[in-house]
Amino acid sequence: MARRRQAVTIKHVAADAGVSLQTVSRVVNKEPGVRPEMMARVQASIDALGYVPSIAAQRMGGSRSYLILALNDRERTIADWRARQGTDWIDQMLFGGMLTCAEHGYRLIVELVDTHSDHIERELLAAIAALQPDGVILTPPHSANPLIIDLLAEHGISFARIGSLTDGPGIRLIMDDTRAATIATEHLIALGHTRIGFIAGPAEYELSAWRVDGWGAAMQAAGLTTDDLLAVGDFGYPSGRAAAEALFALPDRPTAIIASNDQMTLATLDLARERRLTVPDDLSLISFDDTPIIRLAHPPLTAIVQPIAEVTARAVNLIIADLGDGPKSDAPVTVPALLTIRQSTCPPAGG
Amino acid sequence: MARRRQAVTIKHVAADAGVSLQTVSRVVNKEPGVRPEMMARVQASIDALGYVPSIAAQRMGGSRSYLILALNDRERTIADWRARQGTDWIDQMLFGGMLTCAEHGYRLIVELVDTHSDHIERELLAAIAALQPDGVILTPPHSANPLIIDLLAEHGISFARIGSLTDGPGIRLIMDDTRAATIATEHLIALGHTRIGFIAGPAEYELSAWRVDGWGAAMQAAGLTTDDLLAVGDFGYPSGRAAAEALFALPDRPTAIIASNDQMTLATLDLARERRLTVPDDLSLISFDDTPIIRLAHPPLTAIVQPIAEVTARAVNLIIADLGDGPKSDAPVTVPALLTIRQSTCPPAGG
DNA sequence: GTGAAAGCGCTAACAA
DNA sequence: TTGTTAGCGCTTTCAC
């Protein structure tokens, strides 16, 4: 196999168009200060020869790498892949992220990084050194990790933080978890529920607290108590089951439960079935996350739809804008989440 | 933002270790001809400084890019992402592909390419020119596309073809579709079924025919007829429904059906329910593909598990081996598929 | 076994 | 507005 070289380089284009390398470069990068006729001539050669710049060479020349890294939690991601339970977080990130990257000539590379690791710094530095990405998208829990945030800032890499509002550098995007929880709670209140339990996610994730807040706010606004109605899980199925057990054991059992993710909701659904509680007649159920598993449950579950694809697309756009020299804003971006009503919610029995 | 340069380069390491650039390069690339003590010294400097080579620079120097492209059908992939039905082909590819790449210092980049497009060639050439990947993984239907195959071969890029046995260059890997269909059919025959219908995939996919073959072989071996029992779909839900309708309309209705993918199986399940046929009592059902949707159906479906992660991992390993100068084999690699028995198969009524 | 030179394809800085 | 020069970080020659 012959050593692979670029088939057609900027040199070929320059020769073909009878101009200098620099002029071709200017046209390729849409830099100002090229006469239209010159531009047309160069562009014609580019098209004729099918020239596409090498991103490796572009990077070497001191320009962008046209690479954006999507950093995800290694342990959780691999667990999801292994379980094959339909968790489609990564898919939706690719959906929104890849396609938006492509629009701008960028590529998205998925990278897994350990959360609870002391070599997290080394891993990240290695990825940065090897790939030299122009931007990084951080997902929870990385998006709240000061070590990562500071590292990226020091390296002058544009980055977006999805699902974190802690202060610090980086573009912040959230899916309006508080509002989503409020909407879900209000939906149940409107149906006539007064005892609405909530299963929170782990404190490690900022959004866990936001969701609790949204639930609490709606409850309070309706003059309902939340005193004994909060249980905490870790997003895993067993923890959801334990939380549901605690809520079921209350003297005045809740007639509705909102759980902070699909696995915990499913655990609640399964436990309800074992206890001979019919959903939704005896127990209304709302899930956060709208993974396929929720849609295919019996009954299909009313759920908060997380707009992961959209938020990722926004993140990419903001990173690329940040790379340019337009005006920047550091206000957090909020992408609204929606409540999709299916068949797991109805008025309480005897309500 | 300061123009980003490599924080620590080969130069720094060379200076730190008091050797030439070339020696460092040799150590990094594990080339022979370096004294152990020298190697140790250089390695110590590398570790101390946290040096990681820039893949852009490595590529520019005429070496590898350490990039492998996973080429998928754009239309189908985007449709799957949009539908959020739990199709986890891409996830499983990442699972097997990314992790295996990482083991060898490679990265996997997902790339979408149109199937039915005349600018497919341009798209692919652009990706090659921009990324200069060392290897490409082709999935169906790209893996059987002579245009793509020849293009990659001409460019001297190592590539793997998953799910295609047509002659030509490239490492071929299959998931033993024929055997899988045979196993599924034999399972039904063992249960006592004699009228076993088969819903095939579109001819565009080579594996469609293999699956039909496997079914046919098992039927013939058991002395059973397949005459009127074959229906054809296009992997989509509506086509599966139409195919199921045709099979249901037979004078001697099949007591079992094998469908070539999850959507068509689901369509069959839904239609059966509408027709008041109980699965599995009135109709046994086996699906190809083992996406979460199948596992969560009611009843959970017996299905052929496609080892996508494993086949992708193998593909990566074979591509990287192909890059080296060890011995090569061009025999197709077969990764066995498994039948997972769940609750959609039982002996036929009155059987 | 080790080092010095040249060059990969591109862009930034500067010159014309 | 356009062209020239130098250099990015690395690897491949080819000397020593």
Side-chain angles (χ1 to χ4, degrees):
Chain A
M1 183 174 82
R3 254 188 65 254
R4 249 176 315 110
R5 280 221 186 67
Q6 196 79 337
V8 31
T9 73
I10 201 170
K11 260 189 199 158
H12 299 113
V13 178
D16 186 79
V19 297
S20 73
L21 301 183
Q22 191 48 32
T23 301
V24 178
S25 174
R26 287 190 181 106
V27 172
V28 167
N29 296 298
K30 297 184 179 55
E31 278 168 27
V34 184
R35 266 181 305 155
E37 58 203 79
M38 191 96 269
M39 234 182 83
R41 182 143 60 98
V42 172
Q43 190 59 53
S45 294
I46 289 176
D47 294 342
L49 299 176
Y51 168 71
V52 174
S54 150
I55 66 165
Q58 288 186 127
R59 173 55 237 172
M60 288 305 295
S63 172
R64 301 181 178 182
S65 67
Y66 294 99
L67 259 26
I68 292 181
L69 245 51
L71 240 59
N72 284 83
D73 182 24
R74 168 176 285 129
E75 205 179 336
R76 177 161 295 276
T77 304
I78 292 180
D80 285 343
W81 283 341
R82 200 184 304 278
R84 298 194 68 176
Q85 293 284 329
T87 308
D88 60 353
W89 171 277
I90 295 280
D91 288 270
Q92 293 299 306
M93 281 199 80
L94 287 176
F95 185 21
M98 265 188 59
L99 299 187
T100 309
C101 275
E103 285 172 18
H104 302 272
Y106 279 73
R107 318 264 162 176
L108 191 72
I109 299 188
V110 176
E111 189 84 15
L112 304 181
V113 173
D114 281 319
T115 316
H116 302 292
S117 163
D118 48 337
H119 46 249
I120 187 174
E121 186 172 351
R122 195 146 40 83
E123 278 188 4
L124 185 53
L125 282 173
I128 292 174
L131 259 15
Q132 319 227 113
D134 293 331
V136 173
I137 298 176
L138 261 27
T139 56
H142 297 324
S143 50
N145 188 324
L147 195 69
I148 296 180
I149 296 175
D150 293 342
L151 213 74
L152 291 174
E154 277 166 26
H155 281 252
I157 298 177
S158 292
F159 63 101
R161 289 161 49 198
I162 294 179
S164 171
L165 285 179
T166 54
D167 275 337
I171 302 158
R172 291 172 296 173
L173 302 100
I174 58 166
M175 299 193 250
D176 208 355
D177 293 86
T178 306
R179 180 93 197 99
T182 296
I183 291 172
T185 310
E186 286 172 349
H187 168 62
L188 292 168
I189 292 172
L191 287 172
H193 293 273
T194 55
R195 296 283 294 165
I196 303 172
F198 195 92
I199 301 179
E204 180 185 13
Y205 289 71
E206 290 176 50
L207 49 80
S208 293
W210 301 336
R211 292 175 183 179
V212 172
D213 290 346
W215 163 71
M219 293 295 275
Q220 187 174 9
L224 300 172
T225 181
T226 56
D227 280 355
D228 50 350
L229 291 166
L230 179 63
V232 179
D234 64 7
F235 285 154
Y237 185 98
S239 78
R241 197 182 161 88
E245 267 167 358
L247 292 175
F248 285 2
L250 292 177
D252 187 6
R253 186 177 60 71
T255 58
I257 291 179
I258 303 173
S260 288
N261 80 333
D262 57 355
Q263 286 299 326
M264 299 198 298
T265 310
L266 219 62
T268 306
L269 177 64
D270 288 347
L271 186 68
R273 186 169 295 130
E274 291 172 26
R275 297 285 171 86
R276 302 268 180 267
L277 295 174
T278 305
V279 173
D281 305 279
D282 303 319
L283 179 73
S284 283
L285 216 45
I286 298 184
S287 174
F288 264 82
D289 291 359
D290 185 45
T291 55
I293 201 171
I294 284 311
R295 229 165 300 190
L296 298 167
H298 286 251
L301 302 181
T302 294
I304 294 293
V305 180
Q306 305 274 34
I308 301 164
E310 194 189 338
V311 89
T312 311
R314 293 284 290 274
V316 167
N317 276 325
L318 289 168
I319 285 173
I320 293 176
D322 189 55
L323 260 23
D325 35 28
K328 275 118 199 174
S329 151
D330 67 340
V333 172
T334 300
V335 179
L338 295 171
L339 179 71
T340 294
I341 297 173
R342 297 206 183 81
Q343 297 155 43
S344 65
T345 46
C346 74
Chain B
M1 185 174 83
R3 254 188 66 252
R4 249 175 316 109
R5 281 220 184 68
Q6 196 78 340
V8 31
T9 73
I10 200 170
K11 258 186 199 160
H12 300 113
V13 177
D16 185 80
V19 297
S20 72
L21 301 185
Q22 190 43 36
T23 302
V24 178
S25 174
R26 287 190 181 106
V27 172
V28 168
N29 296 298
K30 298 187 178 53
E31 278 169 27
V34 183
R35 267 178 305 154
E37 58 205 77
M38 191 96 273
M39 239 183 79
R41 181 141 61 97
V42 172
Q43 191 58 54
S45 293
I46 290 176
D47 294 342
L49 299 177
Y51 168 72
V52 175
S54 150
I55 66 165
Q58 289 186 126
R59 174 54 238 173
M60 288 303 296
S63 171
R64 301 180 179 182
S65 67
Y66 295 99
L67 259 27
I68 292 181
L69 245 50
L71 240 59
N72 284 82
D73 182 22
R74 167 177 284 130
E75 205 178 335
R76 176 161 295 278
T77 303
I78 291 180
D80 285 343
W81 284 341
R82 200 184 305 278
R84 298 195 67 175
Q85 294 283 331
T87 309
D88 59 353
W89 171 277
I90 295 280
D91 288 88
Q92 293 300 306
M93 280 198 81
L94 288 176
F95 185 23
M98 265 188 58
L99 299 187
T100 310
C101 275
E103 284 171 17
H104 301 272
Y106 278 73
R107 318 265 161 174
L108 190 73
I109 298 186
V110 176
E111 189 84 12
L112 304 182
V113 174
D114 280 319
T115 317
H116 304 290
S117 163
D118 48 338
H119 45 248
I120 187 172
E121 186 173 352
R122 197 148 37 84
E123 279 188 2
L124 185 53
L125 283 173
I128 291 173
L131 258 17
Q132 320 228 104
D134 294 332
V136 173
I137 298 176
L138 261 28
T139 56
H142 297 324
S143 50
N145 188 325
L147 196 69
I148 296 180
I149 294 174
D150 292 343
L151 214 75
L152 291 173
E154 277 166 26
H155 282 252
I157 298 177
S158 293
F159 63 101
R161 289 160 50 197
I162 294 179
S164 171
L165 285 179
T166 54
D167 275 336
I171 303 157
R172 291 172 294 173
L173 302 99
I174 58 165
M175 300 193 248
D176 208 355
D177 293 86
T178 306
R179 180 95 198 98
T182 297
I183 291 172
T185 309
E186 286 173 347
H187 168 61
L188 292 168
I189 293 173
L191 287 173
H193 293 272
T194 55
R195 295 284 292 166
I196 303 172
F198 195 92
I199 301 180
E204 180 184 12
Y205 290 71
E206 289 176 51
L207 49 80
S208 294
W210 302 335
R211 293 175 184 179
V212 172
D213 290 348
W215 163 70
M219 293 295 275
Q220 186 172 10
L224 300 173
T225 182
T226 56
D227 280 354
D228 50 351
L229 290 166
L230 178 64
V232 179
D234 64 6
F235 285 154
Y237 184 99
S239 78
R241 197 180 162 90
E245 266 166 358
L247 292 175
F248 285 2
L250 291 176
D252 187 5
R253 186 178 60 72
T255 58
I257 292 179
I258 303 173
S260 290
N261 80 332
D262 56 357
Q263 286 298 325
M264 298 197 298
T265 309
L266 218 61
T268 306
L269 177 64
D270 288 346
L271 187 69
R273 186 169 296 132
E274 290 171 26
R275 299 284 172 88
R276 302 270 180 265
L277 294 174
T278 305
V279 172
D281 306 281
D282 303 320
L283 180 72
S284 283
L285 214 47
I286 298 185
S287 175
F288 263 83
D289 289 358
D290 184 46
T291 56
I293 202 171
I294 284 313
R295 229 165 300 189
L296 299 167
H298 287 252
L301 303 181
T302 295
I304 294 294
V305 179
Q306 305 274 35
I308 302 164
E310 192 187 340
V311 89
T312 310
R314 293 284 290 273
V316 167
N317 277 325
L318 288 168
I319 285 174
I320 293 177
D322 189 55
L323 260 24
D325 35 29
K328 277 116 198 175
S329 150
D330 68 340
V333 172
T334 299
V335 179
L338 295 171
L339 179 71
T340 295
I341 297 174
R342 298 206 183 82
Q343 296 155 43
S344 66
T345 46
C346 73

